[in-house]
């Protein structure tokens, strides 16, 4: 749950109420009515209005800034991989694979000794 007075940005308009998407606002109240779908009341100073919004229509400033920083880092790594012709780094970035995946894949193929003997015995019996 977001705090009162917290700065948020409107990122969506799921109920088509003509929300000013992209504008910042401040949470001024919670809507605690169980029959209402709206969770927050947000004051948008630029349009000098307050709006009832759902939690999915707003995002905190910190979250948006961290997502933008991650996106810029990924773009910079892609540019670096292209400039240095590092094909492995480029494919890893484009496929979304992390460095830990190859080591985890190797562990999945390892079976215990008893399971291996059981599998060999089943194949030999067939």
């Amino acid at each position: 749950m977001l705090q009162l007075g917290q700065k948020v940005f409107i990122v969506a308009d799921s109920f088509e109420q003509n929300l000013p998407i992209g504008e910042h606002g401040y949470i001024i109240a919670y809507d605690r009515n169980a029959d209402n779908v709206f969770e927050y009341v947000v004051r948008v100073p630029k349009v000098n209005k307050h709006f009832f919004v759902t939690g999915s229509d707003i995002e905190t400033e910190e979250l948006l800034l961290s997502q933008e920083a991650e996106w810029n880092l990924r773009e910079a790594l892609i540019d670096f991989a292209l400039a240095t012709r590092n094909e492995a780094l480029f494919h890893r970035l484009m496929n979304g694979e992390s460095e830990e995946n190859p080591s985890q894949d190797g562990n999945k193929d390892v079976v215990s000794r008893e399971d291996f003997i059981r599998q060999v015995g089943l194949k030999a019996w067939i």
Side-chain angles (χ1 to χ4, degrees):
M1 178 158 274
L2 301 173
Q3 298 176 1
L4 290 176
Q6 188 170 7
K7 185 176 183 179
V8 294
F9 282 87
I10 299 175
V11 294
D13 189 5
S14 57
F15 292 108
E16 299 179 5
Q17 0 172 29
N18 294 327
L19 295 177
I21 296 175
E23 295 295 327
H24 76 279
Y26 300 94
I27 296 178
I28 59 170
Y30 301 119
D31 192 0
R32 298 188 185 258
N33 187 358
D35 297 333
N36 198 349
V37 71
F38 301 112
E39 300 172 35
Y40 303 103
V41 179
V42 175
R43 174 84 176 152
V44 180
K46 188 169 185 178
V47 293
N48 201 20
K49 285 186 172 180
H50 65 276
F51 299 96
F52 290 93
V53 297
T54 62
S56 62
D57 286 347
I58 56 176
E59 290 292 337
T60 62
E61 182 181 27
E62 294 83 18
L63 180 66
L64 291 175
L65 289 176
S66 67
Q67 288 175 349
E68 186 69 25
E70 289 173 7
W71 180 255
N72 287 337
L73 176 65
R74 186 172 187 269
E75 284 182 352
L77 284 173
I78 290 172
D79 290 341
F80 175 76
L82 290 173
T84 59
R85 299 178 188 261
N86 188 344
E87 192 173 330
L89 175 63
F90 180 76
H91 286 295
R92 192 173 76 225
L93 288 170
M94 295 308 289
N95 293 332
E97 298 172 0
S98 66
E99 295 176 8
E100 301 169 358
N101 284 348
S103 64
Q104 290 177 354
D105 290 341
N107 292 340
K108 290 181 182 176
D109 294 336
V110 176
V111 293
S112 67
R113 183 171 182 247
E114 293 80 20
D115 290 337
F116 178 72
I117 292 172
R118 187 177 312 119
Q119 288 175 358
V120 170
L122 286 174
K123 288 181 183 178
W125 182 76
I126 293 174

